[in-house]
């Protein structure tokens, strides 16, 4: 797109905004919808680091990049090269079937996640056809005029056309902690990113004020894209991904040892080199849970769909596991523990009496302010009566709210008045800082220690009754057109605004349910300590140990680490202190969830193991979160936690099933190959066994989960996986050797009969173990899902029928006699009983061995 690229290349921040608009072919009124569509096709979507989804055929071909698939392809090529054409065809068919199966599952999961994330797509206020419209950020193009306000993420690089008290946090680009002031103008052509005061950039966030900008660079042409590309490799690894990686290392180590030993041992026994190689490679594939990526994708995607149906949208799939592991939830009180519909309940003068004048000033301030919407102003506006006329006043100017001043001023002018009135509203202490006097019934009096002490006592009394108090102050000025923050001085304190936000119905029961699931709740609030303690007492939360923001500011990192775990409520905290609190709690070994929706919640959301926001949150909070609640309700989150634990439990089931059965069978095969005068299974038979045994596992995502697996937080424990694999693998191997003895000593089986019988018994025992290890309860007391049951039964019937089906001879199978079949059935039933007994012993031993995570959190048992 030539016009846009030219303006981007020539230091657009160093020329007047009008020139930038002209070069972009745009105006102050923005683009037309038709022109925007043309530019979108040419410039591409405004996305960073997010490639378009591949075509289905490309996604299918990507399945063949798996190392395991490449091993199988290599085995097929070797077979064809040495003249074993039929064996090569069989291996090829199994490879194709496995890839088709994996592709359908993963591609379906990907499409499901796209549909879910579309529900919470980030949008921006863009001028199209001269009118403001909410446009998906991905559809913003160079030349678009975008409106920005507090809480917005800047969606593109560009220059400001207008701005009012506009402060932007550029930490993502420059590392600068404090917001920087931005205003229209011109910057030097050689100015670095942090020195371009007239420009704003993708990935930064608006802290206060309002502005309009014209987009110059989008997508991969932005400054953020260049930085994101450089640091993409530094993305932190989640605990879930780390667990999968460690499991992969464990299986790789075992696989390499077995394969190398078996291959060279067979060569020493003067077995054919090609057969030995194919057998060793088949052992490697048979030992490895090659469908694990597909199973994880399907299980997590199904969990995400279930959670979405219950009001939780998952933005990052790995976060489902972290949600299941969470044992500590930090949250604000407003809208979470309380109804969130804040009601103006009182308007008092300095003496504590009702004051219509204070009420009118509050209504003017709340209804005329044009900055960030907030529940307090909405509560004031909602209290307006039909007979209250405010039309006698007109707005002159506004000094927007910011998180340093914690106050908002609106300047109004009354008809026929000779002066302007500045009305300031905000946190009591912050308003008092700007005051030099108080308004009484007889006029203004100086604000001294006695007056300040009386105000503090009134506020404390109201807070202990559950009210939230704001201060209101005024000052008259000679008429003029504009005002600045410096004018908020020498104000007269006029009175108080009292708000009530009652606790949600049933909140005490919800908090008890969280506690029963092993999750403690800590309140982190900017509210007064007495208000927070009063609410905590009502809903049944601990409230004796309170740490205020003032006290926290004096604590070192080590001191906060010591106090954080024992603190019930963090009150009067500065938003920037939230991140410190979350970091200290995580350092104590907790898996911390943080629920927030404000501008300054983003650092804490990033720091938490699970960042949780709500659908109505500001852009910067939604983008920082791992999950979005469609309703700000802990009941919704409670259901999400249960779903997360079920999802994690089902993922661990597949790992338990494959490790217990595959490990035992492959070890048995390895030893049998050294003791028998023939290979116990041919390579195609091993691959077919592995493929069929994995089919029921595709239904793991639908399986029922026992209540005890939802009752406590779940976590990865690779040591547990190793112990589980060895214990159940040894049981499997013991029955494998019993099968060998039965076939060789009693049935006097030939090579083909042995291979057919061992294939059948191996497959049946792998199916049996699915039903055993999917639960810690007795098999008869925990029913699997219908789909898992039918798939397991179907494959079991197929295992028995395969030797009698047409084409069985391609795999080297022969029909089995009735006595052999009956003997295999008896061995399988005995294996089922022995595995049940092992399960009772193993989990009993685990409970009494003390092998649990710190603070009593359960490890990731299947």
């Amino acid at each position: 797109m030539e016009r846009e690229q030219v303006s981007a290349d020539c230091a657009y921040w160093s020329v007047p905004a009008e020139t930038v608009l002209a070069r972009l072919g745009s105006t102050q009124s923005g683009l037309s919808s038709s022109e925007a569509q043309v530019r979108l096709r040419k410039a591409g979507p405004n996305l960073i680091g997010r490639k378009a989804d591949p075509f289905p055929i490309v996604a299918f071909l990507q399945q063949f990049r798996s190392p395991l698939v490449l091993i199988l392809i290599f085995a097929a090529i070797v077979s064809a090269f040495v003249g074993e054409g039929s064996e090569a065809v069989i291996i090829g068919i199994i490879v194709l079937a496995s890839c088709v199966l994996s592709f359908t599952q993963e591609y379906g999961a990907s499409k499901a996640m796209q549909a879910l994330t579309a529900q919470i797509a980030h949008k921006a206020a863009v001028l199209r056809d001269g009118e403001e419209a909410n446009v998906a950020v991905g559809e913003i193009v160079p030349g678009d005029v975008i409106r920005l306000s507090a809480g917005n993420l800047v969606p593109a690089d560009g220059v400001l056309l207008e701005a009012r008290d506009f402060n932007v946090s550029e930490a993502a680009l420059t590392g600068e902690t404090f917001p920087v002031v931005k205003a229209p103008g011109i910057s030097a052509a050689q100015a670095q990113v942090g020195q371009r005061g007239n420009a704003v950039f993708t990935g930064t966030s608006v802290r206060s004020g309002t502005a309009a900008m014209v987009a110059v660079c989008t997508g991969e042409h932005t400054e953020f894209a260049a930085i994101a590309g450089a640091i993409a490799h530094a993305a932190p690894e989640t605990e879930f991904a780390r667990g999968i990686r460690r499991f992969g290392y464990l299986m790789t180590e075992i696989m390499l040892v077995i394969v190398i030993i078996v291959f060279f041992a067979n060569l020493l026994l003067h077995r054919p080199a090609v057969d030995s190689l194919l057998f060793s490679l088949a052992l490697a594939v048979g030992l490895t849970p090659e469908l694990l990526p597909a199973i994880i994708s399907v299980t997590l995607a199904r969990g995400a769909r279930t959670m979405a149906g219950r009001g939780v949208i998952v933005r990052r799939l790995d976060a489902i596991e972290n949600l299941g592991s969470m044992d500590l939830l930090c949250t604000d009180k407003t809208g979470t523990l309380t109804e969130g519909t804040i009601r103006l309940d009182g308007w008092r003068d300095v003496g504590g009496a009702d004051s219509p004048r204070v009420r009118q000033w509050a209504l003017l301030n709340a209804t005329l302010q044009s900055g960030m919407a907030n529940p307090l102003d909405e509560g004031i506006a909602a209290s307006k009566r039909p007979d209250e006329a405010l039309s006698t006043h007109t707005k002159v100017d506004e000094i927007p709210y910011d998180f340093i001043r914690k106050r908002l001023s609106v300047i109004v002018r009354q008809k026929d008045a000779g002066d302007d009135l500045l009305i300031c509203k905000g946190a009591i202490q912050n308003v008092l800082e700007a005051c030099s006097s108080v308004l009484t019934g007889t006029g203004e009096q100086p604000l001294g220690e006695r007056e300040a002490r009386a105000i503090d006592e009134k506020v404390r009394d109201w807070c202990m009754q559950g009210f939230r108090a704001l201060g209101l102050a005024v000052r008259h000025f000679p008429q003029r057109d504009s005002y600045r923050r410096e004018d908020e001085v020498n104000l007269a304190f006029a009175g108080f605004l009292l708000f009530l936000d009652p606790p949600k119905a049933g909140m005490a029961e919800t908090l008890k349910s969280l506690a029963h699931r092993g999750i403690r709740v800590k309140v982190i609030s900017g509210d007064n300590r007495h208000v927070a303690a009063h609410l905590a007492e009502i809903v049944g939360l601990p409230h004796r140990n309170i740490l205020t923001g003032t006290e926290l500011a004096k604590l070192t990192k080590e001191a906060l680490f010591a106090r954080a775990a024992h603190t019930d409520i963090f009150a009067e905290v500065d938003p920037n202190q939230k991140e410190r609190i979350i970091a200290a709690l995580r350092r104590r070994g907790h898996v911390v969830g943080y629920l927030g929706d404000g501008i300054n919640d983003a650092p804490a959301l990033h720091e938490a193991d699970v960042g949780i926001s709500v659908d109505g949150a500001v852009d910067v909070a939604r983008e920082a979160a791992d999950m979005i609640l469609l309703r700000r309700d802990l009941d919704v989150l409670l259901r999400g936690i249960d779903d997360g634990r079920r999802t994690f439990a089902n993922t661990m089931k597949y790992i338990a099933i494959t490790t217990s059965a595959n490990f035992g069978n492959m070890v048995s095969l390895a030893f049998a190959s050294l003791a028998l005068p023939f290979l116990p299974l041919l390579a195609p038979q091993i691959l077919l066994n592995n493929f069929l045994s994995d089919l029921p596992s595709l239904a793991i995502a639908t399986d029922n989960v026992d209540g005890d697996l939802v009752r406590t937080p779940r976590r990865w424990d690779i040591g547990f996986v190793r112990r589980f694999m060895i214990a159940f693998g040894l049981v499997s191997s013991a029955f494998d050797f019993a099968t060998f003895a039965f076939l060789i000593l009693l049935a006097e089986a030939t090579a083909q009969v042995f291979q057919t019988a061992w294939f059948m018994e191996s497959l049946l025992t792998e199916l049996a173990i699915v039903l055993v290890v999917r639960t810690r309860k007795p098999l008869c007391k925990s029913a699997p899902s219908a789909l898992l049951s039918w798939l397991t039964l179907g494959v079991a019937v197929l295992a028995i029928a395969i030797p009698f089906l047409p084409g069985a001879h391609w795999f080297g199978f022969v029909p089995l006699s009735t006595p052999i079949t009956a003997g295999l059935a008896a061995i399988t039933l005995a294996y089922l009983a022995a595995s049940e007994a092992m399960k009772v012993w193993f989990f009993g031993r685990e409970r009494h061995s003390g092998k649990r995570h710190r603070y009593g959190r359960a490890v990731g048992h299947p």
Side-chain angles (χ1 to χ4, degrees):
M1 196 166 189
E2 191 61 24
R3 269 190 313 197
E4 291 80 348
Q5 193 60 46
V6 168
S7 60
D9 287 345
C10 62
Y12 57 85
W13 56 88
S14 66
V15 296
E18 294 76 13
T19 304
V20 175
L21 284 170
R23 291 178 177 176
L24 290 167
S26 184
T27 67
Q28 295 273 358
S29 300
L31 302 172
S32 66
S33 297
S34 57
E35 174 62 17
Q37 288 300 316
V38 172
R39 296 190 181 200
L40 182 62
R41 286 193 293 270
K42 293 182 178 179
N46 180 32
L47 301 174
I48 297 174
R50 221 182 301 172
K51 298 179 181 178
D53 291 313
F55 292 109
I57 185 63
V58 176
F60 173 66
L61 293 176
Q62 288 175 347
Q63 301 294 324
F64 292 86
R65 297 186 305 179
S66 165
L68 292 172
V69 172
L70 294 176
I71 288 174
L72 291 176
I73 292 174
F74 173 71
I77 293 173
V78 170
S79 297
F81 183 75
V82 298
E84 297 290 343
S86 59
E87 192 166 273
V89 170
I90 292 171
I91 295 175
I93 291 173
I94 293 174
V95 169
L96 183 62
S98 296
C99 289
V100 167
L101 197 60
S102 184
F103 163 72
T104 55
Q105 298 299 314
E106 292 189 31
Y107 194 71
S110 173
K111 288 300 181 185
M113 284 307 301
Q114 288 179 32
L116 292 178
T117 53
Q119 298 181 36
I120 52 170
H122 178 202
K123 295 187 176 183
V126 179
L127 295 182
R128 292 276 173 89
D129 302 313
E131 297 183 357
E132 186 174 304
N134 285 327
V135 174
V137 166
E139 297 177 6
I140 289 176
V141 296
D144 266 328
V145 174
I146 305 162
R147 299 282 188 191
L148 299 171
S149 60
N152 289 160
L153 283 172
V154 178
D157 290 4
V159 294
L160 295 175
L161 303 176
E162 59 185 65
R164 182 60 194 273
D165 293 314
F166 194 60
N167 287 265
V168 177
S169 173
E170 293 187 328
L173 286 178
T174 65
E176 175 59 47
T177 304
F178 296 101
V180 293
V181 179
K182 297 283 185 174
I186 298 175
S187 298
Q190 66 274 17
Q192 299 300 311
V193 170
Q195 300 170 328
R196 301 171 194 170
N198 65 325
V200 289
F201 306 97
T202 299
T204 62
S205 58
V206 182
R207 297 295 294 272
S208 63
T210 58
M213 65 168 286
V214 57
V216 178
C217 300
T218 60
E220 299 297 337
H221 299 291
T222 61
E223 298 284 350
F224 189 81
I227 295 177
I231 65 173
H233 64 278
E237 184 179 41
T238 66
E239 183 176 290
F240 184 74
R242 185 162 53 251
I244 293 293
R245 176 173 55 80
R246 289 175 178 171
F247 174 68
Y249 289 159
L250 173 64
M251 299 307 294
T252 300
E253 291 167 2
I254 296 171
M255 180 182 71
L256 287 175
V257 171
I258 291 178
V259 169
I260 293 173
I261 291 175
V262 168
F263 177 67
F264 284 104
N266 274 275
L267 289 181
L268 291 175
L269 293 173
H270 306 291
R271 303 274 172 79
V274 172
D275 288 347
S276 299
L277 176 62
L278 292 178
F279 180 75
S280 300
L281 293 177
L283 271 183
V285 175
L287 180 63
T288 307
E290 71 277 6
L291 284 185
L292 182 60
I295 297 294
I296 290 175
S297 296
V298 172
T299 306
L300 293 180
R302 188 178 190 278
R305 286 197 299 272
T306 302
M307 293 170 70
R310 299 181 182 181
V312 182
I313 302 295
V314 179
R315 297 185 68 247
R316 189 169 59 87
L317 280 178
D318 285 353
I320 293 178
E321 187 275 337
N322 283 343
L323 185 65
S325 302
M326 183 177 71
D327 69 316
L328 187 62
L329 174 65
C330 297
T331 177
D332 193 2
K333 64 181 189 61
T334 303
T336 304
L337 305 180
T338 66
E339 291 290 349
T341 52
I342 296 177
R343 183 177 76 241
L344 179 62
D345 205 68
W347 38 91
R348 312 289 172 79
D349 62 18
V350 175
D354 286 347
S355 172
R357 184 173 59 172
V358 169
R359 174 182 171 83
Q360 183 188 41
W361 287 338
L363 282 169
L364 287 168
N365 179 287
T367 56
L368 295 179
Q369 72 95 9
S370 58
M372 182 175 57
N374 65 86
L376 295 173
D377 284 334
E378 291 171 359
I380 295 172
S383 71
K384 182 178 179 295
R385 297 188 293 266
D387 60 340
E388 289 182 298
L390 303 177
S391 57
T392 55
H393 293 77
T394 57
K395 178 180 176 181
V396 176
D397 205 353
E398 176 179 347
I399 306 173
Y401 179 90
D402 65 57
F403 292 95
I404 298 174
R405 292 164 41 252
K406 293 186 179 180
R407 54 183 183 252
L408 162 72
S409 294
V410 172
I411 298 87
V412 298
R413 184 176 299 164
Q414 193 170 9
K415 195 174 182 180
D416 301 326
D419 58 8
D420 293 337
L421 178 66
L422 183 149
I423 307 170
C424 178
K425 175 182 92 271
I428 299 287
Q429 290 302 320
N430 296 74
V431 171
L432 283 174
E433 288 173 3
C435 294
S436 59
S437 60
V438 295
L439 283 182
T440 66
T442 58
E444 291 189 25
Q445 292 184 3
L447 175 60
E449 289 186 11
R450 182 168 60 88
E451 288 77 14
R453 189 163 49 251
I455 289 172
D456 186 59
E457 289 175 357
K458 286 184 175 64
V459 171
R460 185 185 299 110
D461 289 341
W462 284 321
C463 289
M464 294 183 71
Q465 298 173 46
F467 289 101
R468 179 175 179 179
L470 293 186
L472 191 138
V474 296
R475 181 183 173 185
H476 290 273
F477 286 90
Q479 290 185 358
R480 64 177 196 254
D481 293 333
S482 63
Y483 290 81
R484 305 174 63 185
R485 296 179 189 179
E486 289 75 14
D487 293 313
E488 286 181 339
V489 293
N490 296 323
L491 308 186
F493 190 82
F496 310 91
L497 301 172
L498 305 182
F499 298 87
L500 198 60
D501 186 14
K504 286 183 177 177
M507 180 51 61
E509 287 72 23
T510 300
L511 292 171
K512 286 180 182 177
S513 296
L514 285 169
H516 290 156
R517 285 164 174 78
I519 299 173
R520 295 169 58 199
V521 176
K522 290 183 184 289
V523 177
I524 301 179
S525 176
D527 270 1
N528 180 281
R529 74 194 77 176
H530 304 296
V531 176
H534 177 79
L535 175 65
E537 183 178 12
I538 292 175
V539 298
L541 285 177
H543 57 280
R544 297 191 180 279
N545 297 318
I546 300 176
L547 183 64
T548 66
T550 303
E551 295 168 330
L552 194 153
K554 299 175 183 177
L555 296 179
T556 64
K557 185 176 180 179
E558 295 302 321
L560 179 59
F561 169 76
R563 289 194 59 178
H566 307 292
T567 300
D568 301 320
I569 297 172
F570 299 89
E572 302 170 21
V573 297
D574 185 278
N576 294 324
Q577 294 174 324
K578 295 178 181 179
E579 185 179 11
R580 286 189 64 197
I581 296 169
I582 301 299
L585 291 170
R586 288 189 67 201
R587 192 175 162 214
R588 298 283 303 190
H590 293 287
V591 178
V592 182
Y594 180 78
L595 175 57
D597 64 352
I599 297 171
N600 280 287
D601 286 322
L605 287 166
H606 275 299
E607 178 63 31
D609 294 286
V610 190
I612 308 162
S613 194
V614 293
D615 194 29
V618 297
D619 295 341
V620 66
R622 280 161 47 98
E623 289 298 307
D626 301 311
M627 297 183 176
I628 305 292
L629 304 184
L630 297 183
R631 295 199 321 274
R632 185 162 185 162
D633 189 339
L634 285 186
D635 281 326
V636 173
L637 182 60
L638 185 65
R639 293 191 291 271
I641 290 168
D642 288 349
D643 290 331
R645 291 180 180 177
R646 291 189 188 97
T647 300
F648 180 63
N650 281 336
T651 303
M652 293 303 298
K653 284 179 187 179
Y654 175 73
I655 291 173
I657 290 164
T658 54
T659 54
S660 58
N662 287 9
F663 176 71
N665 286 343
M666 294 307 112
V667 169
S668 302
L669 275 175
F671 280 104
S673 70
L674 305 180
L676 296 174
F678 51 82
L679 290 176
L681 278 182
L682 302 177
Q685 293 170 345
I686 295 175
L687 299 178
L688 180 63
N689 180 298
N690 202 43
F691 175 74
L692 292 177
S693 64
D694 269 335
L695 286 177
S697 297
L698 294 174
I700 285 291
T702 70
D703 192 27
N704 303 319
V705 176
D706 297 338
D708 59 333
L709 295 181
V710 179
R711 209 167 292 128
T712 53
R714 320 304 305 171
R715 300 194 70 174
W716 262 101
D717 182 358
I718 197 64
F720 173 86
V721 173
R722 187 184 296 110
R723 294 190 300 274
F724 188 93
M725 178 178 68
I726 293 173
F728 283 84
L730 289 176
V731 173
S732 176
S733 293
F735 279 86
D736 291 340
F737 292 126
T739 304
F740 297 160
F742 165 71
L743 292 173
I744 296 296
L745 301 178
L746 296 181
E748 298 180 349
T750 64
Q752 281 192 313
V753 170
F754 182 97
Q755 290 163 350
T756 304
W758 168 232
F759 171 88
M760 183 186 298
E761 196 273 345
S762 173
L763 184 52
L764 288 174
T765 54
E766 288 193 57
L767 296 173
I769 203 68
V770 171
L771 303 178
V772 173
V773 303
R774 56 163 295 277
T775 175
R776 284 189 283 175
K777 294 180 178 179
L779 178 58
C780 59
K781 293 185 178 180
S782 178
S785 67
L787 182 58
L788 180 59
S789 299
W790 284 110
L791 273 176
T792 302
L793 179 61
V795 176
V797 171
L798 181 61
I800 298 171
I802 276 181
F804 305 94
L805 295 177
H809 63 281
W810 296 342
F811 286 89
F813 296 137
V814 294
L816 297 178
S817 66
T818 301
I820 290 180
T821 303
L824 295 178
I827 291 173
T828 302
L829 290 175
Y831 171 70
L832 197 64
S835 296
E836 275 288 314
M838 170 58 74
K839 183 170 67 176
V840 173
W841 175 85
F842 180 82
F843 285 117
R845 181 176 178 274
E846 286 292 312
R847 280 193 296 271
H848 293 98
S849 65
K851 295 185 181 297
R852 285 177 174 269
H853 203 277
R854 290 181 66 193
Y855 305 104
R857 290 195 299 275
V859 296
H861 297 165

